[in-house]
PDB file of all heavy atoms in Angstrom:
ATOM      1  N   PRO G 414     -58.869 -46.227  72.723  1.00 90.00           N
ATOM      2  CA  PRO G 414     -58.454 -44.850  73.017  1.00 90.00           C
ATOM      3  C   PRO G 414     -57.812 -44.739  74.396  1.00 90.00           C
ATOM      4  O   PRO G 414     -58.030 -45.575  75.275  1.00 90.00           O
ATOM      5  CB  PRO G 414     -59.782 -44.068  72.958  1.00 90.00           C
ATOM      6  CG  PRO G 414     -60.692 -44.911  72.131  1.00 90.00           C
ATOM      7  CD  PRO G 414     -60.296 -46.325  72.387  1.00 90.00           C
ATOM      8  N   VAL G 415     -57.027 -43.678  74.562  1.00 88.00           N
ATOM      9  CA  VAL G 415     -56.273 -43.501  75.807  1.00 88.00           C
ATOM     10  C   VAL G 415     -57.201 -43.517  77.016  1.00 88.00           C
ATOM     11  O   VAL G 415     -56.899 -44.125  78.048  1.00 88.00           O
ATOM     12  CB  VAL G 415     -55.468 -42.186  75.763  1.00 88.00           C
ATOM     13  CG1 VAL G 415     -54.851 -41.888  77.130  1.00 88.00           C
ATOM     14  CG2 VAL G 415     -54.382 -42.260  74.707  1.00 88.00           C
ATOM     15  N   GLU G 416     -58.351 -42.847  76.912  1.00 88.00           N
ATOM     16  CA  GLU G 416     -59.264 -42.767  78.056  1.00 88.00           C
ATOM     17  C   GLU G 416     -59.717 -44.140  78.525  1.00 88.00           C
ATOM     18  O   GLU G 416     -59.980 -44.338  79.707  1.00 88.00           O
ATOM     19  CB  GLU G 416     -60.487 -41.906  77.697  1.00 88.00           C
ATOM     20  CG  GLU G 416     -60.190 -40.427  77.543  1.00 88.00           C
ATOM     21  CD  GLU G 416     -59.455 -40.108  76.246  1.00 88.00           C
ATOM     22  OE1 GLU G 416     -59.451 -40.980  75.335  1.00 88.00           O
ATOM     23  OE2 GLU G 416     -58.886 -39.002  76.136  1.00 88.00           O
ATOM     24  N   GLN G 417     -59.815 -45.108  77.626  1.00 90.00           N
ATOM     25  CA  GLN G 417     -60.230 -46.463  77.990  1.00 90.00           C
ATOM     26  C   GLN G 417     -59.078 -47.307  78.527  1.00 90.00           C
ATOM     27  O   GLN G 417     -59.301 -48.392  79.054  1.00 90.00           O
ATOM     28  CB  GLN G 417     -60.872 -47.153  76.788  1.00 90.00           C
ATOM     29  CG  GLN G 417     -62.133 -46.481  76.298  1.00 90.00           C
ATOM     30  CD  GLN G 417     -62.761 -47.201  75.120  1.00 90.00           C
ATOM     31  OE1 GLN G 417     -62.483 -48.381  74.877  1.00 90.00           O
ATOM     32  NE2 GLN G 417     -63.610 -46.497  74.370  1.00 90.00           N
ATOM     33  N   GLN G 418     -57.864 -46.836  78.369  1.00 91.00           N
ATOM     34  CA  GLN G 418     -56.706 -47.551  78.896  1.00 91.00           C
ATOM     35  C   GLN G 418     -56.415 -47.194  80.357  1.00 91.00           C
ATOM     36  O   GLN G 418     -55.589 -47.842  80.997  1.00 91.00           O
ATOM     37  CB  GLN G 418     -55.458 -47.237  78.056  1.00 91.00           C
ATOM     38  CG  GLN G 418     -55.551 -47.635  76.598  1.00 91.00           C
ATOM     39  CD  GLN G 418     -54.298 -47.273  75.824  1.00 91.00           C
ATOM     40  OE1 GLN G 418     -53.201 -47.217  76.380  1.00 91.00           O
ATOM     41  NE2 GLN G 418     -54.449 -47.018  74.525  1.00 91.00           N
ATOM     42  N   LEU G 419     -57.103 -46.192  80.885  1.00 92.00           N
ATOM     43  CA  LEU G 419     -56.813 -45.694  82.231  1.00 92.00           C
ATOM     44  C   LEU G 419     -57.520 -46.547  83.283  1.00 92.00           C
ATOM     45  O   LEU G 419     -58.488 -46.124  83.920  1.00 92.00           O
ATOM     46  CB  LEU G 419     -57.237 -44.228  82.351  1.00 92.00           C
ATOM     47  CG  LEU G 419     -56.646 -43.283  81.296  1.00 92.00           C
ATOM     48  CD1 LEU G 419     -57.189 -41.879  81.483  1.00 92.00           C
ATOM     49  CD2 LEU G 419     -55.121 -43.286  81.356  1.00 92.00           C
ATOM     50  N   VAL G 420     -57.035 -47.774  83.457  1.00 91.00           N
ATOM     51  CA  VAL G 420     -57.593 -48.694  84.451  1.00 91.00           C
ATOM     52  C   VAL G 420     -56.452 -49.240  85.307  1.00 91.00           C
ATOM     53  O   VAL G 420     -55.318 -49.389  84.835  1.00 91.00           O
ATOM     54  CB  VAL G 420     -58.364 -49.860  83.789  1.00 91.00           C
ATOM     55  CG1 VAL G 420     -59.629 -49.344  83.131  1.00 91.00           C
ATOM     56  CG2 VAL G 420     -57.483 -50.588  82.776  1.00 91.00           C
ATOM     57  N   HIS G 421     -56.768 -49.518  86.575  1.00 91.00           N
ATOM     58  CA  HIS G 421     -55.750 -50.021  87.504  1.00 91.00           C
ATOM     59  C   HIS G 421     -55.829 -51.553  87.561  1.00 91.00           C
ATOM     60  O   HIS G 421     -56.500 -52.113  88.423  1.00 91.00           O
ATOM     61  CB  HIS G 421     -55.943 -49.416  88.892  1.00 91.00           C
ATOM     62  CG  HIS G 421     -55.905 -47.927  88.917  1.00 91.00           C
ATOM     63  ND1 HIS G 421     -57.042 -47.141  88.887  1.00 91.00           N
ATOM     64  CD2 HIS G 421     -54.860 -47.061  88.951  1.00 91.00           C
ATOM     65  CE1 HIS G 421     -56.707 -45.868  88.909  1.00 91.00           C
ATOM     66  NE2 HIS G 421     -55.400 -45.782  88.951  1.00 91.00           N
ATOM     67  N   LYS G 422     -55.159 -52.201  86.616  1.00 89.00           N
ATOM     68  CA  LYS G 422     -55.118 -53.664  86.589  1.00 89.00           C
ATOM     69  C   LYS G 422     -53.674 -54.135  86.474  1.00 89.00           C
ATOM     70  O   LYS G 422     -52.813 -53.414  85.964  1.00 89.00           O
ATOM     71  CB  LYS G 422     -55.954 -54.210  85.431  1.00 89.00           C
ATOM     72  CG  LYS G 422     -57.442 -53.938  85.561  1.00 89.00           C
ATOM     73  CD  LYS G 422     -58.221 -54.573  84.417  1.00 89.00           C
ATOM     74  CE  LYS G 422     -59.724 -54.342  84.574  1.00 89.00           C
ATOM     75  NZ  LYS G 422     -60.493 -54.942  83.448  1.00 89.00           N
ATOM     76  N   LYS G 423     -53.454 -55.368  86.907  1.00 87.00           N
ATOM     77  CA  LYS G 423     -52.086 -55.888  86.903  1.00 87.00           C
ATOM     78  C   LYS G 423     -51.489 -55.948  85.509  1.00 87.00           C
ATOM     79  O   LYS G 423     -50.294 -55.689  85.324  1.00 87.00           O
ATOM     80  CB  LYS G 423     -52.071 -57.286  87.523  1.00 87.00           C
ATOM     81  CG  LYS G 423     -51.632 -57.302  88.973  1.00 87.00           C
ATOM     82  CD  LYS G 423     -51.348 -58.700  89.426  1.00 87.00           C
ATOM     83  CE  LYS G 423     -50.653 -58.667  90.790  1.00 87.00           C
ATOM     84  NZ  LYS G 423     -50.302 -60.023  91.251  1.00 87.00           N
ATOM     85  N   ASP G 424     -52.283 -56.309  84.529  1.00 87.00           N
ATOM     86  CA  ASP G 424     -51.764 -56.472  83.178  1.00 87.00           C
ATOM     87  C   ASP G 424     -51.777 -55.176  82.382  1.00 87.00           C
ATOM     88  O   ASP G 424     -51.277 -55.135  81.261  1.00 87.00           O
ATOM     89  CB  ASP G 424     -52.572 -57.538  82.424  1.00 87.00           C
ATOM     90  CG  ASP G 424     -52.267 -58.938  82.923  1.00 87.00           C
ATOM     91  OD1 ASP G 424     -51.167 -59.135  83.475  1.00 87.00           O
ATOM     92  OD2 ASP G 424     -53.130 -59.829  82.772  1.00 87.00           O
ATOM     93  N   SER G 425     -52.350 -54.091  82.955  1.00 90.00           N
ATOM     94  CA  SER G 425     -52.388 -52.823  82.222  1.00 90.00           C
ATOM     95  C   SER G 425     -51.319 -51.845  82.680  1.00 90.00           C
ATOM     96  O   SER G 425     -50.951 -50.935  81.943  1.00 90.00           O
ATOM     97  CB  SER G 425     -53.769 -52.171  82.376  1.00 90.00           C
ATOM     98  OG  SER G 425     -54.010 -51.839  83.729  1.00 90.00           O
ATOM     99  N   GLY G 426     -50.802 -52.019  83.903  1.00 91.00           N
ATOM    100  CA  GLY G 426     -49.775 -51.104  84.400  1.00 91.00           C
ATOM    101  C   GLY G 426     -49.343 -51.453  85.805  1.00 91.00           C
ATOM    102  O   GLY G 426     -49.701 -52.507  86.344  1.00 91.00           O
ATOM    103  N   PHE G 427     -48.563 -50.563  86.424  1.00 90.00           N
ATOM    104  CA  PHE G 427     -48.035 -50.802  87.761  1.00 90.00           C
ATOM    105  C   PHE G 427     -47.808 -49.463  88.456  1.00 90.00           C
ATOM    106  O   PHE G 427     -47.704 -48.412  87.808  1.00 90.00           O
ATOM    107  CB  PHE G 427     -46.721 -51.584  87.699  1.00 90.00           C
ATOM    108  CG  PHE G 427     -45.575 -50.798  87.095  1.00 90.00           C
ATOM    109  CD1 PHE G 427     -44.598 -50.222  87.905  1.00 90.00           C
ATOM    110  CD2 PHE G 427     -45.477 -50.613  85.725  1.00 90.00           C
ATOM    111  CE1 PHE G 427     -43.555 -49.488  87.371  1.00 90.00           C
ATOM    112  CE2 PHE G 427     -44.432 -49.878  85.167  1.00 90.00           C
ATOM    113  CZ  PHE G 427     -43.476 -49.317  85.998  1.00 90.00           C
ATOM    114  N   TRP G 428     -47.742 -49.516  89.770  1.00 89.00           N
ATOM    115  CA  TRP G 428     -47.439 -48.307  90.538  1.00 89.00           C
ATOM    116  C   TRP G 428     -45.934 -48.032  90.438  1.00 89.00           C
ATOM    117  O   TRP G 428     -45.114 -48.823  90.883  1.00 89.00           O
ATOM    118  CB  TRP G 428     -47.852 -48.472  91.994  1.00 89.00           C
ATOM    119  CG  TRP G 428     -49.329 -48.549  92.203  1.00 89.00           C
ATOM    120  CD1 TRP G 428     -50.040 -49.625  92.618  1.00 89.00           C
ATOM    121  CD2 TRP G 428     -50.272 -47.498  91.990  1.00 89.00           C
ATOM    122  NE1 TRP G 428     -51.383 -49.317  92.684  1.00 89.00           N
ATOM    123  CE2 TRP G 428     -51.560 -48.005  92.306  1.00 89.00           C
ATOM    124  CE3 TRP G 428     -50.171 -46.174  91.577  1.00 89.00           C
ATOM    125  CZ2 TRP G 428     -52.712 -47.243  92.212  1.00 89.00           C
ATOM    126  CZ3 TRP G 428     -51.329 -45.411  91.480  1.00 89.00           C
ATOM    127  CH2 TRP G 428     -52.577 -45.945  91.792  1.00 89.00           C
ATOM    128  N   ARG G 429     -45.597 -46.908  89.884  1.00 87.00           N
ATOM    129  CA  ARG G 429     -44.204 -46.554  89.590  1.00 87.00           C
ATOM    130  C   ARG G 429     -43.542 -46.016  90.871  1.00 87.00           C
ATOM    131  O   ARG G 429     -43.223 -44.832  90.995  1.00 87.00           O
ATOM    132  CB  ARG G 429     -44.192 -45.504  88.477  1.00 87.00           C
ATOM    133  CG  ARG G 429     -42.864 -45.268  87.785  1.00 87.00           C
ATOM    134  CD  ARG G 429     -43.029 -44.099  86.815  1.00 87.00           C
ATOM    135  NE  ARG G 429     -41.853 -43.872  86.017  1.00 87.00           N
ATOM    136  CZ  ARG G 429     -41.660 -44.383  84.808  1.00 87.00           C
ATOM    137  NH1 ARG G 429     -42.575 -45.167  84.281  1.00 87.00           N
ATOM    138  NH2 ARG G 429     -40.553 -44.117  84.135  1.00 87.00           N
ATOM    139  N   ASP G 430     -43.290 -46.921  91.811  1.00 84.00           N
ATOM    140  CA  ASP G 430     -42.802 -46.486  93.124  1.00 84.00           C
ATOM    141  C   ASP G 430     -41.327 -46.114  93.121  1.00 84.00           C
ATOM    142  O   ASP G 430     -40.820 -45.604  94.114  1.00 84.00           O
ATOM    143  CB  ASP G 430     -43.068 -47.570  94.179  1.00 84.00           C
ATOM    144  CG  ASP G 430     -42.405 -48.889  93.848  1.00 84.00           C
ATOM    145  OD1 ASP G 430     -42.046 -49.087  92.671  1.00 84.00           O
ATOM    146  OD2 ASP G 430     -42.260 -49.721  94.754  1.00 84.00           O
ATOM    147  N   PHE G 431     -40.624 -46.347  92.006  1.00 81.00           N
ATOM    148  CA  PHE G 431     -39.213 -45.943  91.938  1.00 81.00           C
ATOM    149  C   PHE G 431     -39.043 -44.600  91.227  1.00 81.00           C
ATOM    150  O   PHE G 431     -37.919 -44.152  91.013  1.00 81.00           O
ATOM    151  CB  PHE G 431     -38.387 -47.019  91.199  1.00 81.00           C
ATOM    152  CG  PHE G 431     -38.873 -47.314  89.806  1.00 81.00           C
ATOM    153  CD1 PHE G 431     -38.498 -46.541  88.732  1.00 81.00           C
ATOM    154  CD2 PHE G 431     -39.737 -48.379  89.583  1.00 81.00           C
ATOM    155  CE1 PHE G 431     -38.958 -46.810  87.453  1.00 81.00           C
ATOM    156  CE2 PHE G 431     -40.195 -48.662  88.313  1.00 81.00           C
ATOM    157  CZ  PHE G 431     -39.810 -47.875  87.247  1.00 81.00           C
TER     158      PHE G 431
END
Side-chain angles (χ1 to χ4, degrees):
V415 171
E416 290 74 16
Q417 297 181 19
Q418 299 179 28
L419 306 177
V420 291
H421 302 97
K422 294 183 178 179
K423 261 193 169 182
D424 287 336
S425 64
F427 68 102
W428 292 112
R429 195 186 185 94
D430 59 341
F431 57 84

